[in-house]
């Protein structure tokens, strides 16, 4: 099995097609796997251009199994990474990004035919581009996504993106069913098991208690992160409302030593800070929210 940092440098197939009344030029990688065959351009184009053959949205079970952030350097914001949850699909590198919408999942992928570790492929439409696809594999080494898609879509990120194989940043997602997983909180809802967090959370977010996704921190979410602000260490958590991430989402900072929770909630497109943050903390929350939820 290739190492997690290996880049698939492969021959490309190029062809032009019509999709939704526009000309689409597609380049498809030949992924080097003993059971994988070159992906015909027409088949990937069908996956990208025929939403009637795929789910309109990602279902919750699929999100819980595979969604989140993938990177081979999870702590480096400039490193190549991808993420998807609900209605967001994005590839980022060095401050540049490519975003897809109309996201759906397909159970088959010609380029992964016969691969025992293949799970699914996530596809989306790129405005003015020729689509994105994340081909997902899960084995004893972890949960991986191979970046696929047209050269036009990926061009803003520079060379060397197509075919990159990235590992999920959440240890719980990387573990195979039945395998031991990392201890301690890994997802936002895990924090609710911490009595100090729950007390501070209820105090800060009490006004949103009637919103199930807020009260339970339930929905698509990246992995928890650790950061230091003004000399205090915080846990950063982000979560959004299932099937409505664009207008309903939040970020929060939890200072365990102090038992304090500060947050910024966007509900129906309107942002509110909670936890009585200082002006400096409010600016930091907005910066973190912009980085996580604002689309290019």
């Amino acid at each position: 099995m290739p190492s997690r940092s290996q880049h698939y440098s492969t021959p490309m197939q190029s062809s032009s097609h019509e999709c939704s009344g526009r000309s689409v030029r597609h380049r498809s990688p030949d992924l080097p796997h003993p059971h994988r065959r070159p992906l015909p351009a027409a088949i990937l184009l069908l996956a990208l251009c025929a939403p009637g053959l795929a789910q309109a949205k990602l279902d919750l079970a699929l999100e819980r199994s595979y969604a989140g952030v993938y990177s081979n350097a999870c702590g480096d914001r400039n490193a190549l990474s991808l993420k998807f949850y609900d209605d967001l699909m994005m590839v980022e590198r060095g401050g540049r990004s490519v975003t897809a919408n109309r996201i759906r999942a397909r159970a088959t992928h010609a380029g992964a035919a016969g691969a025992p570790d293949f799970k699914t492929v996530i596809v989306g439409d790129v405005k003015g581009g020729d689509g994105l696809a994340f081909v997902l594999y899960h084995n004893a080494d972890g949960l991986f996504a191979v970046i696929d898609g047209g050269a036009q879509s990926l061009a803003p990120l520079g060379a060397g993106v197509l075919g990159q194989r990235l590992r999920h940043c959440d240890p719980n997602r990387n573990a195979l069913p039945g395998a031991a997983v990392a201890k301690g909180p890994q997802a936002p809802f895990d924090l609710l098991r911490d009595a100090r967090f729950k007390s501070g959370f209820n105090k800060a977010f009490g006004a949103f208690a009637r919103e199930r996704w807020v009260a339970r921190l339930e929905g698509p979410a990246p992995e928890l992160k650790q950061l230091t602000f003004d000399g205090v260490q915080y846990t950063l958590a982000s979560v959004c409302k299932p099937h409505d991430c664009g207008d309903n989402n939040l970020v929060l900072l939890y200072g365990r030593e102090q038992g304090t929770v500060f947050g910024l909630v966007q509900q129906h497109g309107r942002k509110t800070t909670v936890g009585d943050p200082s002006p400096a903390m409010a600016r930091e929350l907005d910066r973190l929210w912009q980085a996580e939820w604002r689309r290019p």
Side-chain angles (χ1 to χ4, degrees):
M1 170 119 197
S3 68
R4 72 177 72 172
S5 62
Q6 178 175 349
H7 171 233
Y8 290 137
S9 178
T10 59
M12 307 300 296
Q13 299 171 352
S14 179
S15 57
S16 294
H17 302 274
E18 290 294 326
C19 173
S20 302
R22 56 186 173 85
S23 176
V24 174
R25 187 165 185 82
H26 169 69
R27 300 176 73 200
S28 174
D30 177 5
L31 302 181
H33 187 288
H35 302 291
R36 296 170 196 156
R37 296 190 297 270
L39 175 62
I43 293 177
L44 179 59
L45 189 75
L46 181 63
L48 297 174
C49 298
L53 299 179
Q55 298 174 208
K57 289 184 178 181
L58 304 183
D59 62 43
L60 191 57
L62 187 147
E63 288 177 352
R64 286 175 173 170
S65 296
Y66 305 120
V69 179
Y70 294 69
S71 174
N72 293 333
C74 294
D76 184 355
R77 298 186 67 86
N78 290 316
L80 179 67
S81 67
L82 66 84
K83 59 184 174 183
F84 66 91
Y85 11 74
D86 191 40
D87 56 353
L88 172 68
M89 184 177 182
M90 181 183 294
V91 183
E92 298 177 284
R93 182 169 70 175
R96 294 176 291 175
S97 63
V98 173
T99 302
N101 56 23
R102 296 187 63 201
I103 302 167
R104 56 263 187 205
R106 290 184 58 85
T108 60
H109 189 66
D117 55 347
F118 169 74
K119 295 304 177 184
T120 190
V121 57
I122 310 298
V123 298
D125 301 335
V126 177
K127 184 177 181 180
D130 41 1
L132 283 180
F134 300 156
V135 188
L136 306 185
Y137 300 91
H138 200 182
N139 53 51
D141 292 324
L143 176 59
F144 297 90
V146 175
I147 301 174
D148 201 351
Q152 182 179 352
S153 297
L154 294 170
L157 302 180
V161 174
L162 192 65
Q164 284 276 7
R165 179 174 174 270
L166 307 179
R167 191 171 187 262
H168 205 293
C169 289
D170 184 348
N172 286 317
R173 303 290 177 88
N174 283 310
L176 288 169
V181 298
K183 296 181 180 180
Q186 300 295 328
F189 58 79
D190 289 330
L191 292 170
L192 292 170
R193 301 170 187 167
D194 180 339
R196 287 174 64 83
F197 171 80
K198 192 169 184 178
S199 175
F201 176 77
N202 289 339
K203 181 179 179 181
F205 285 84
F208 296 90
R210 288 180 292 182
E211 292 287 339
R212 177 189 174 105
W213 69 274
V214 177
R216 300 189 180 188
L217 294 177
E218 182 178 77
E223 81 285 359
L224 299 178
K225 300 180 180 70
Q226 303 299 317
L227 61 84
T228 300
F229 177 75
D230 199 20
V232 178
Q233 185 173 3
Y234 291 94
T235 297
L236 168 64
S238 307
V239 68
C240 67
K241 184 177 181 179
H243 307 299
D244 196 9
C245 278
D247 289 329
N248 295 272
N249 46 62
L250 66 83
V251 295
L252 67 83
L253 289 175
Y254 169 43
R256 193 177 192 285
E257 293 299 320
Q258 297 77 19
T260 54
V261 176
F262 304 105
L264 190 156
V265 183
Q266 179 181 232
Q267 187 177 33
H268 307 303
R270 181 178 179 179
K271 294 190 292 183
T272 304
T273 55
V274 299
D276 194 23
S278 67
M281 173 60 78
R283 289 192 296 271
E284 177 67 4
L285 288 167
D286 189 67
R287 184 189 71 79
L288 294 168
W289 179 87
Q290 296 280 350
E292 189 60 53
W293 299 116
R294 184 175 182 178
R295 300 183 187 183

